[in-house]
Amino acid sequence: MTADALLRAQPGLFLQPGLFYVPDYLDRAAQEALLADLRACLADAPLYTAHMPKSGLPLSVQMSNCGELGWFTDRDKGYRYEALNPQTGRPWPPIPALAEKAWWDLGDDPQAPQACLVNYYGPSAKMGLHQDRDENALNAPVVSLSLGDTCLFRFGGRNRRDPTRTIKLNSGDAIVLGGEARLAFHGVDRLLPGSSTLLPEGGRFNLTLRRVR
Ligand code: SIN
Ligand code: FE2
């Protein structure tokens, strides 16, 4: 077996303390069901092009949110959580039940998730190495689900210069960043376009569930 296949044969494993990886957490039917719910969310809260604070440079990933709070960024106000979608003035749609189920199945926090960031990666989108640190509730984990094309996910330690590793995240895979890994640097180097048949349009959705306060 290749190293990849060995890794994927596990029911779930810690890649490093606090960083839990569950290959095939969602089977194909669950992926399709979650995708249908996600499309309904996006009909209400369409994907938008997020911009970096100050520089105003666009991110290559398109974003939206579900839940009582949504992570948002634009040039003028920067990274923050918003209870109302700045694009529509309406509350964000509720978190899809299957996504919330992942929080309860895989996370270890007694309280419900408050935010679910939706990232959409087109074939050439990526996300630089960063920490998720706009939340006050750093005791609660980040639970992440992948739908669509496989990506190369990079992760390291709490310092940007710590050594990093990459794994392939396939459609249906889950990652939990908790405990010692809650502030681990992570990012997406690139997609493997055409690796999944889930999304007719291609690309990849990633959902990350969090508590904010
Ligand atoms: C993120 O860190 O917000 C996204 C990670 C991913 O796309 O897997
Ligand atoms: Fe992140």
Side-chain angles (χ1 to χ4, degrees):
M1 269 210 255
T2 63
D4 248 15
L6 274 172
L7 208 59
R8 297 195 57 79
Q10 313 287 323
L13 79 164
F14 282 96
L15 298 173
Q16 64 189 42
L19 202 168
F20 194 58
Y21 165 56
V22 186
D24 302 317
Y25 167 70
L26 298 170
D27 65 17
R28 176 71 184 213
Q31 292 169 41
E32 284 171 5
L34 177 55
L35 179 63
D37 287 352
L38 181 58
R39 301 253 196 234
C41 291
L42 295 176
D44 182 64
L47 292 167
Y48 76 100
T49 299
H51 291 85
M52 309 262 282
K54 299 198 181 96
S55 72
L57 290 171
L59 302 186
S60 61
V61 172
Q62 292 186 284
M63 296 185 167
S64 186
N65 291 274
C66 332
E68 58 185 84
L69 294 167
W71 190 86
F72 201 87
T73 176
D74 53 21
R75 191 187 58 184
D76 293 341
K77 291 198 197 160
Y79 303 153
R80 64 206 189 264
Y81 279 92
E82 293 274 6
L84 297 180
N85 180 352
Q87 303 284 117
T88 64
R90 292 194 298 273
W92 305 97
I95 297 176
L98 276 169
E100 183 163 339
K101 182 174 184 300
W103 175 268
W104 298 118
D105 284 352
L106 305 177
D108 59 358
D109 196 80
Q111 296 184 298
Q114 291 176 303
C116 176
L117 172 65
V118 179
N119 291 314
Y120 175 71
Y121 296 76
S124 59
K126 54 191 182 331
M127 190 176 290
L129 214 55
H130 67 279
Q131 293 170 297
D132 290 6
R133 55 181 310 158
D134 298 317
E135 302 76 30
N136 294 322
L138 291 176
N139 51 323
V142 174
V143 174
S144 158
L145 297 172
S146 295
L147 293 174
D149 282 341
T150 300
C151 77
L152 296 184
F153 178 77
R154 182 174 293 279
F155 59 93
R158 282 196 224 187
N159 294 304
R160 185 175 284 282
R161 298 213 193 108
D162 289 342
T164 59
R165 287 167 61 193
T166 57
I167 55 160
K168 284 182 185 166
L169 290 183
N170 291 357
S171 195
D173 289 357
I175 285 277
V176 182
L177 296 173
E180 278 185 52
R182 176 62 182 77
L183 289 176
F185 274 86
H186 59 279
V188 169
D189 287 358
R190 64 185 175 87
L191 260 53
L192 306 182
S195 47
S196 164
T197 56
L198 186 72
L199 306 181
E201 71 272 44
R204 169 178 183 262
F205 282 110
N206 167 256
L207 282 70
T208 47
L209 297 127
R210 304 150 194 211
R211 280 201 65 84
V212 179
R213 295 173 182 145

